[in-house]
Amino acid sequence: MTNQKRVGIILGTRPEAIKLAPVIQVFQGSPDLELQVILTGQHREMVEQVMQLFNLKADHNLEIMQPKQSLNDITCRSLQGLEALFIEQKLDLVIVQGDTTTAFAAALAAFYQKIPIGHVEAGLRTDDLFNPFPEEANRRLISQITQLHFAPTSLAVENLQASGVLGEIHLTGNTVIDALLNVAATHPACDIPGLNWDEYRTILVTVHRRENWGEPLQAIAQSFLQILDKFPDTALLLPLHRNPTVREPLQQLLGNHPRIFLTEPLDYGQLVGAIERSHLLLTDSGGLQEEAPSLGKPVLVLRDTTERPEAVTAGTAKLVGTETKSIVAAASELLSNPEAYTAMANAINPFGDGHAAERILEIVKNYLG
C-alpha cells in the first residue's frame, strides 16, 4: 500500500471533534488513505468525551492545555508541536475545521511546511473582524492559505468567491449534521437531577463567548430570570462552561432559582438528548444554530452578529442580541404564540443532509489522485 496518501486531521476543541468525527470515520474506511488524527490538546476532557462517543482514537496528542492559557500560548505551543510532527509524518494533506486557534495554528504550520490544506466549514463570515473574536480573523486567515475549501452552504461559497481566495471551492454541506443525525438516531438519554422533562417546557441555554463576558452576561442572566417569572410552566437548563469568567457570575445570579438547572458541561450524547427534549434554545454558540433546526427546535441567538445568517434567512434562528428586554420579548413570543413557534420549528435547516463527510472524502481523493 505504498501509494496510500497520508492525511493529517488536526483538532483541539470539542466543536472540532464533533464536526470532524464523521470525516475521520469515512477517511478511516478508505483504503487509498493513511490517516493521522492529531490532537493539540486545546481542550482536554471535552474532546475525550467526543472521541469516546464516536469510538475514535488519536495518533498524536500535543497536550498543550495549561491553566488560564492565552491565545498566544495556544498558538505558539501548537505551532511548535505541529512543526516537528509535520516534518516527521511527511503528510500529503492537512485538514482543519472551522475557526478555532487550533485550526489557525495548524493551517499556518502546514503552510510553513508547504503541505496542502483542506478547510472544513470554510467561508463563514460576519464581516466584523472583532466579532466573534478571534474566530472571524482565524477563518479569514485560514482561507488565504487553503487549497481545498469545503463550504457548508451556498452563501459560504459566495463569501469565499467574494474574498478572492485561491484554491478549489466545494459545496459539501456541514459535517455537524452528519454527526448530529448519527447520534440522534440512538435517542440518547439526558437525565438531569431534579428536572422532569414532562413537567416543564424546558429552555436549553448555552453562553460562553468572549464578547458576552461582563455586562452582556449580566443582562443575559437577568433575561432568564424574567422569562421564568413570566412563564411558570418553563424551566431552564444551563450547562456551565468550565471558564470561571463565565461560570462564576452565572452561578451567583442564577444558582438559587428552583427552575434553573445549572450543570457541568454535557457530553455530546447528552446534549443531543437535551436538544431533542427541550422546547427551544437560547445560545451564543455557533454549532447549536446548525444542529437544533435538524431536530425541529427554534434557536434564539444571544449575539449581535452571526456567521451563520443562513439560519436567520431560513427562519430556523433569530438574532436577539444581549439586551434583557430584547431577549425576553423574543422568548415570550415563542412561548405564548403557537403559530410563531411552529413557523420556526418547521423551517427547513439550510446546513446539510448528513452526507457532507462522504463528499469531502471524494474531493480529497480526486485532489490527491
Side-chain angles (χ1 to χ4, degrees), residues 65-84:
M65 188 174 179
Q66 292 183 354
K68 298 184 179 177
Q69 59 192 1
S70 70
L71 297 175
N72 272 5
D73 294 333
I74 299 165
T75 305
C76 292
R77 287 201 300 277
S78 296
L79 274 173
Q80 288 175 329
L82 290 169
E83 178 185 35

Side-chain angles (χ1 to χ4, degrees), residues 79 82 86 94 105-117:
L79 274 173
L82 290 169
F86 288 171
V94 162
L108 189 58
F111 173 73
Y112 285 161
Q113 299 304 318
K114 297 186 177 179
I115 303 169
I117 299 156

Side-chain angles (χ1 to χ4, degrees), residues 123 125 127 140 144 154-165 169:
R125 299 288 185 266
D127 296 326
R140 285 174 172 272
Q144 296 306 317
S154 54
L155 179 60
V157 169
E158 291 169 21
N159 289 338
L160 289 163
Q161 291 168 337
S163 300
V165 300
I169 300 171

Side-chain angles (χ1 to χ4, degrees), residues 206-271:
T206 70
V207 57
H208 71 278
R209 286 201 173 272
R210 288 170 190 268
E211 56 267 29
N212 283 344
W213 294 358
E215 284 185 20
L217 193 64
Q218 303 272 341
I220 289 168
Q222 287 302 322
S223 75
F224 299 159
L225 294 170
Q226 290 186 25
I227 291 164
L228 293 181
D229 190 46
K230 195 171 177 182
F231 297 94
D233 66 335
T234 59
L236 192 140
L237 171 59
L238 201 172
L240 292 166
H241 199 271
R242 295 194 190 279
N243 190 324
T245 309
V246 179
R247 186 185 190 90
E248 289 166 8
L250 291 173
Q251 286 174 321
Q252 190 176 349
L253 289 162
L254 305 175
N256 295 325
H257 195 289
R259 283 181 282 127
I260 294 179
F261 298 86
L262 303 179
T263 71
E264 291 304 313
L266 303 179
D267 68 37
Y268 189 62
Q270 291 173 315
L271 179 66

